[in-house]
Amino acid sequence: MRSIWNGSISFGLVTIPVKTYSATERTSSVSFMRIHEKDGAPIQYRKMCELDGKEVPNEEVGKGYQPPGDDIVVPVTDDELSRLPVPTGKALTILSFVDPSEIDPLQMDKAYYLGPNGASAAKPYALLREALEHHQKVALGKVAMRGRESLAMLRAHDGAIVMHQLLWPDQVRPAPDVVPEDVKLRENEMALAETLMDSLGELDPAELHDDYREAVEELAAAKLEGEEPVAPAPSASDAQVIDLTAALEKSVRAARSGRGESAESASVTPIRGRTATKKAAEKKPAAGKSTGGAPAKKSAAKGGAKKSTARTAQKSTEGTAEKPARKTTAKSTAKKATAKKTAAGKPRAKKSG
């Protein structure tokens, strides 16, 4: 890896010589050339002078500064720029140590690895790295690279010190024009949004890759082999869901299913249902006046009435069956009594001598 800038970190009275290396790689991203469609030849960009219309060679290209609001361009030479009093020209001066949350991510620009420049720089380099990591702070300072001064943030990362170039505060645009007006959010919408955030789970950086770049490479390979490029199947997507709550619930189900959970665990109980149940529980009347008891009593009364009717019918049947028996017994008793009386009233017959 080739260093792109050599300087030093000024840490109080400690000076740490460092080399700077690019921490990011942009060559893996997709880039296209402009070509002439008739013959496929690349199109070159020529530096043309707007005054005489002639092409300007690279050795005659210089620098010019145009003051804000002025049409005049002032020529500036490299020799004049080198004599400007830039105190951070070869040193990164640490101004303070702050909490990482105090740095607005909007200010983040390019990232560089800083490595010790020489054996004598190894110990102070390691000391600064360990102090940043143990104290959980980042260093904030200023540095001049490639002809311009910028803010810089130092942090410990993976055993190294990383420098992030930062934009100046006045380079960050405010966002009043993109902020929506007051929007009222319901409680169940917020709860579903948080559930969706939890359902997505953790992200493995190793699984991230550029799908577009891979598709472009497959397209180019197919054309080089003389094959007809196959258009990828469009991703299945349902119609646009207008209901925010329904969209959140569907997203939660999809996120849980994507993590390999079963259909039951992927189901979502609508919060509005739970809210309705809660409200219904709060509206229950006091004891003794429960609306839920009335149907039970009514059913019990119906059951009692049925039992009473059955008992009455049974008694009626038993009474009807006993009446003839009682009448027969009474008649039999009356006959026996009459027979006795008749027998008693008759004169006894005399015995013959």
Side-chain angles (χ1 to χ4, degrees):
M1 187 183 297
R2 186 176 62 88
S3 63
I4 61 173
W5 180 82
N6 294 346
S8 61
I9 301 174
S10 177
F11 176 31
L13 298 178
V14 179
T15 300
I16 309 173
V18 292
K19 290 185 176 182
T20 307
Y21 307 89
S22 294
T24 57
E25 181 65 53
R26 295 183 180 271
T27 56
S28 60
S29 60
V30 176
S31 60
F32 298 98
M33 297 176 57
R34 294 190 177 273
I35 62 172
H36 190 194
E37 291 186 351
K38 290 184 177 181
D39 51 22
I43 297 178
Q44 297 181 355
Y45 290 91
R46 297 181 178 181
K47 300 178 180 66
M48 306 296 294
C49 177
E50 294 184 359
L51 185 61
D52 56 18
K54 296 181 179 180
E55 184 177 354
V56 180
N58 289 333
E59 58 270 16
E60 295 182 9
V61 177
K63 295 179 181 178
Y65 176 75
Q66 185 175 5
D70 201 337
D71 295 334
I72 300 176
V73 178
V74 181
V76 180
T77 64
D78 291 336
D79 184 58
E80 292 172 337
L81 292 174
S82 64
R83 293 197 300 266
L84 293 178
V86 182
T88 57
K90 285 293 181 180
L92 191 157
T93 306
I94 295 177
L95 302 176
S96 65
F97 294 89
V98 299
D99 191 90
S101 61
E102 297 182 25
I103 305 299
D104 191 342
L106 285 175
Q107 291 183 253
M108 296 285 188
D109 197 5
K110 295 181 180 180
Y112 302 90
Y113 286 126
L114 299 182
N117 189 2
S120 61
K123 188 171 184 178
Y125 178 92
L127 175 63
L128 176 59
R129 179 198 62 201
E130 293 298 320
L132 290 172
E133 188 170 4
H134 182 266
H135 207 43
Q136 296 183 354
K137 296 285 186 178
V138 296
L140 189 64
K142 294 195 298 183
V143 64
M145 289 180 62
R146 296 178 175 177
R148 61 184 63 190
E149 188 180 48
S150 65
L151 287 175
M153 181 190 77
L154 302 182
R155 67 182 180 96
H157 172 71
D158 199 17
I161 296 178
V162 179
M163 180 182 72
H164 294 270
Q165 279 189 312
L166 302 178
L167 300 176
W168 297 98
D170 60 355
Q171 291 179 298
V172 179
R173 297 176 178 176
D177 297 335
V178 300
V179 178
E181 298 179 358
D182 294 339
V183 179
K184 294 183 179 179
L185 298 176
R186 293 181 294 178
E187 182 181 354
N188 62 332
E189 293 172 343
M190 280 297 300
L192 278 172
E194 294 173 358
T195 303
L196 176 58
M197 293 169 66
D198 296 335
S199 300
L200 290 176
E202 298 180 356
L203 179 66
D204 184 5
E207 296 180 357
L208 299 177
H209 57 278
D210 192 345
D211 294 331
Y212 181 71
R213 184 189 67 190
E214 293 179 359
V216 172
E217 291 174 350
E218 292 177 1
L219 172 65
K223 298 192 74 171
L224 285 175
E225 295 178 1
E227 299 178 359
E228 185 69 21
V230 179
S235 57
S237 59
D238 298 334
Q240 184 178 4
V241 181
I242 304 299
D243 186 0
L244 178 59
T245 303
L248 288 170
E249 292 176 355
K250 185 176 179 181
S251 300
V252 171
R253 293 190 186 96
R256 291 182 176 176
S257 299
R259 286 162 48 188
E261 297 182 6
S262 62
E264 293 181 359
S265 61
S267 62
V268 180
T269 302
I271 293 183
R272 56 176 175 270
R274 295 197 290 267
T275 307
T277 306
K278 185 178 179 182
K279 290 181 178 179
E282 293 175 353
K283 290 183 179 180
K284 281 188 177 181
K289 297 182 180 181
S290 174
T291 56
K297 290 181 179 179
K298 192 172 182 181
S299 300
K302 288 182 179 180
K306 289 180 179 180
K307 290 180 180 179
S308 177
T309 305
R311 288 174 184 172
T312 305
Q314 185 178 358
K315 288 181 179 181
S316 176
T317 306
E318 291 176 355
T320 306
E322 288 176 357
K323 282 180 181 180
R326 288 175 182 173
K327 286 181 181 181
T328 305
T329 306
K331 287 181 180 180
S332 175
T333 306
K335 287 181 179 180
K336 288 181 181 180
T338 306
K340 286 181 179 180
K341 287 180 180 181
T342 305
K346 288 183 178 181
R348 294 180 178 180
K350 292 181 179 181
K351 294 181 179 179
S352 59

